Amino acid sequence: MDKVALFPGSFDPITVGHESIVYRSLSLFDKVIVAIGYNANKKAFFSIEKRMAMIRQVFANEPRVEVISYEGLTVDLCNRLEVRYILRGLRTSADFEFERAIAQVNKLMHPNIETIFMLTAPQHTPVNSTIIRDILLHNGNPSQFIPSAINIKDYL
Ligand code: ADP
């Protein structure tokens, strides 16, 4: 049976940190589904369509990566898709504390689902989408933090 992981997040926009987690996880899983969480009450910088297009462009040559969007609880999506593994990246101890609570509550409610954590590559620890949005908002150039397959200006 294929081992499939769901990598959920906002990806607003995708960063080199996200890209690296996906590629590294492909040595553990047969397929990785990048799932963009959609929250109707939260205003995003990039539309869902643009975020999906960006991620598809990054993994255009990797048939084992699929990109979808979803609304609601990640565990419900996992059960719907019959996926048993949630993949999350960890940068700092703050990430760890935040993720620990979610993963442990998920474990109590859905014991069939495992959350797998991957520590960020050292050079990606400070990279996050919030800072990239801030750079873009002020007409800076964040290209070193964005996967090289994308020209972020094409999506503005
Ligand atoms: P969320 O809004 O759910 O935190 P993000 O899009 O910010 O979603 O991140 C999705 C996942 O990628 C999370 O597990 C997050 O910890 C991880 N991640 C974000 N940035 C990095 C990075 N620089 N290195 C490794 N993992 C990262």
Side-chain angles (χ1 to χ4, degrees), residues 29-43:
F29 296 98
D30 299 302
K31 179 176 158 185
V32 175
I33 302 174
V34 180
I36 308 175
Y38 182 79
N39 182 343
N41 297 318
K42 243 169 97 178
K43 181 95 185 76

Side-chain angles (χ1 to χ4, degrees), residues 122-133:
Q123 68 274 27
H124 295 148
T125 303
V127 178
N128 70 63
S129 300
T130 308
I131 294 178
I132 291 176
R133 290 197 298 273

Side-chain angles (χ1 to χ4, degrees), residues 39-142:
N39 182 343
N41 297 318
K42 243 169 97 178
K43 181 95 185 76
F45 190 92
F46 290 99
S47 67
I48 279 282
E49 293 73 22
K50 284 186 178 174
R51 281 181 270 166
M52 292 197 37
M54 274 187 244
I55 302 172
R56 288 200 172 120
Q57 190 173 346
V58 173
F59 300 107
N61 296 318
E62 184 41 84
R64 295 194 294 143
V65 176
E66 193 183 315
V67 187
I68 62 172
S69 65
Y70 72 105
E71 213 174 346
L73 294 178
T74 306
V75 280
D76 291 341
L77 177 70
C78 286
N79 283 331
R80 236 178 9 255
L81 300 177
E82 297 183 15
V83 170
R84 280 196 53 211
Y85 302 98
I86 295 177
L87 176 67
R88 296 286 288 174
L90 290 180
R91 287 160 294 190
T92 60
S93 52
D95 272 358
F96 171 76
E97 283 305 330
F98 178 76
E99 296 291 341
R100 182 181 58 78
I102 298 173
Q104 288 182 328
V105 168
N106 282 343
K107 193 73 197 162
L108 291 169
M109 295 177 71
H110 301 268
N112 58 318
I113 295 174
E114 293 291 350
T115 305
I116 310 291
F117 295 108
M118 207 171 243
L119 205 57
T120 186
Q123 68 274 27
H124 295 148
T125 303
V127 178
N128 70 63
S129 300
T130 308
I131 294 178
I132 291 176
R133 290 197 298 273
D134 222 36
I135 296 172
L136 289 170
L137 205 59
H138 297 96
N139 300 315
N141 179 5

